[in-house]
Amino acid sequence: MAIDKIQTLGILDDAVTSAKLASGVLPTNTPAFHATMSTQTLSDGSNTLLNFNTVVFDTNSNYDTTNKRFTPTVAGKYFIHVSLLYSKASSVAGVQVRVRKNGSDAFRTLQAHFYGNDNQNYMASGIISCNGSGDYIDVSAQQDSGSSVNVDGSTTFTFFQGYKLIGA
C-alpha cells in the first residue's frame, strides 16, 4: 500500500518535493515543540512549576505559555527532554528535575550534592504516552540549598522540548 501511494504521488520520479512529503507519504515527528524561559528563582525545598513562557517553535500550537504545558492533540508516545542551568549555586544538597504528566511525575532526575560556585546543568529525558485528548506535560524542579537558587533562562542550556515518535 505504501509503495502504491508513493508511485501514485510520483515520488519515484526523483522529484521529492515538500508538497509530496506533506501529503502524508512519509510520517513526521509532529506535534513537536521547543520552549525557553526567563531566569526563574527557586525557593529552597519547594517543588516549583517552571515558567517556560517563550515558544521557539510549536508545530501544532499545542504548547500553552499561560499554563506552561504541552498538551498534544495527537495520541502516541512522545520523547520529552528538559535541560536546566542552575546559576552559580554554592553547596546544594540536592536538585530534582521532574517531568510530569497530568500533574504527577512521569520521570525525574535527582542529583545529590554539588559544591562550589560554578553553574550546574541538569537534564531529564524520557518517553511519555499521551491520549491526544487532554493529557498534558509540564516541568517542575526543586533544590535544597538552604536559600534560593536561580534557573538561568538567559542561556541555551535551559529549555523544554518534545516530539511525537514516528510509528509509536
Side-chain angles (χ1 to χ4, degrees), residues 1 8 15-16 25-26 31 46 60-61 67 93 101 111 119 133 163:
M1 183 170 117
T8 300
V16 178
V25 173
L26 299 175
S46 177
N60 289 40
S61 300
N67 293 312
K101 175 182 170 183
Q111 170 70 42
N119 292 338
S133 64
Y163 57 86

Side-chain angles (χ1 to χ4, degrees), residues 85-98:
L85 184 70
Y86 281 72
S87 298
K88 298 183 180 175
S90 60
S91 294
V92 174
V95 172
Q96 294 184 50
V97 178
R98 300 171 183 218

Side-chain angles (χ1 to χ4, degrees), residues 102-119:
N102 302 330
S104 298
D105 289 354
F107 58 89
R108 66 181 174 176
T109 184
L110 169 66
Q111 170 70 42
H113 306 290
F114 73 80
Y115 302 96
N117 285 323
D118 292 327
N119 292 338

Side-chain angles (χ1 to χ4, degrees), residues 127-158:
I127 297 172
I128 300 175
S129 291
C130 292
N131 62 19
S133 64
D135 284 341
Y136 68 87
I137 301 166
D138 62 16
V139 180
S140 67
Q142 179 176 333
Q143 60 83 23
D144 301 303
S145 67
S147 62
S148 295
V149 172
N150 287 337
V151 174
D152 189 350
S154 65
T155 172
T156 57
F157 290 105
T158 299

Side-chain angles (χ1 to χ4, degrees), residues 10-57:
I11 297 292
L12 296 179
D13 67 3
D14 291 331
V16 178
T17 65
S18 59
K20 290 176 183 176
L21 296 177
S23 69
V25 173
L26 299 175
T28 61
N29 290 99
T30 58
F33 76 98
H34 182 94
T36 61
M37 62 187 277
S38 302
T39 297
Q40 182 175 352
T41 302
L42 302 182
S43 300
D44 177 56
S46 177
N47 185 33
T48 305
L49 178 66
L50 294 178
N51 186 21
F52 287 99
N53 58 354
T54 302
V55 174
V56 176
F57 70 84

